[in-house]
Amino acid sequence: SINGNPILLTLARLEKRKGHAKILNVISKLKKIYPNICYIIAGEGKELKYLKMLSKKLNIKENVFFLGAINDNQKKYIFSITDIMVMPTIDESEKFSIEGFGIVYIEAALFGIPSIASNIGGTNEAVLNNKTGIILKNLNDLEKEIANLLQSKDERKRLGDNAKKRVINDLLWTNQIQKYFSLISNFSN
């Protein structure tokens, strides 16, 4: 089991352009305010060795959990403890469709988790700025936006509640999400 408070999560392939390293740097600064901060990195990829080395170098090794590939039950558990989902960049070279990367935000939203995302591709359809999460206009705002959300539990709750309502009311029955319905109903059980 994973202990920590607050808990941040990135669920994505470990590739340079996904922004994991930027988040690790932010965690090292926030650790001064939140000594028990916890950052969960779920996913596999070629950056693993570098990210592990970086978390050691930044002196946050005990704050960072590398989970590798995760199954649905593990995902459910992680979502149940996460405060903020942070996925600041999307690797366009993989040419993901909107659903391809949007679904992770949608899954998080079902658990009432707000997301911090960047302004690339279809993210602004998966995350609504200041309504269901934060869309970064500039990657340099990452630390400020994470810090703001961590400071305000009410704001996290407002965004998370909105995100959940929106998925249930607006997205669950549209065709785009229909394909994922079996996946999503597994989550809701």
Side-chain angles (χ1 to χ4, degrees), residues 116-138:
I116 295 180
S118 55
N119 204 1
I120 294 178
T123 317
N124 14 12
E125 290 178 35
V127 180
L128 304 179
N129 193 34
N130 289 327
K131 193 171 178 205
T132 68
I134 304 292
I135 302 251
L136 301 168
K137 287 179 188 62
N138 186 325

Side-chain angles (χ1 to χ4, degrees), residues 24-105:
L24 287 172
N25 279 297
V26 169
I27 298 285
S28 73
K29 292 175 184 154
L30 290 171
K31 188 180 173 174
K32 299 178 181 73
I33 313 164
Y34 304 97
N36 298 320
I37 194 168
C38 165
Y39 177 35
I40 299 173
I41 296 179
E44 300 174 300
K46 51 184 184 291
E47 288 289 289
L48 180 63
K49 224 157 103 180
Y50 168 69
L51 294 171
K52 281 189 162 167
M53 183 208 80
L54 184 59
S55 60
K56 208 168 166 176
K57 195 177 117 189
L58 291 168
N59 213 357
I60 51 171
K61 211 172 123 206
E62 65 283 5
N63 302 83
V64 183
F65 293 79
F66 291 93
L67 299 190
I70 55 169
N71 64 32
D72 276 353
N73 275 342
Q74 292 166 310
K75 202 190 270 190
K76 207 189 263 189
Y77 165 67
I78 293 163
F79 281 145
S80 74
I81 61 172
T82 292
D83 293 303
I84 306 173
M85 168 99 151
V86 192
M87 283 179 46
T89 47
I90 302 299
D91 189 342
E92 296 154 297
S93 67
E94 288 197 11
K95 292 282 182 282
F96 276 125
S97 66
I98 286 169
E99 298 96 327
F101 62 80
I103 191 65
V104 186
Y105 301 107

Side-chain angles (χ1 to χ4, degrees), residues 106 109-110 128 131-132 160-175 177-178 181 184 188:
I106 304 303
L110 270 177
L128 304 179
K131 193 171 178 205
T132 68
D161 289 351
N162 282 346
K164 188 172 186 171
K165 268 193 215 108
R166 174 182 180 235
V167 173
I168 289 167
N169 296 336
D170 304 350
L171 297 180
L172 225 45
W173 296 104
T174 62
N175 287 339
I177 299 298
Q178 197 65 43
F181 188 70
I184 287 170
S188 321

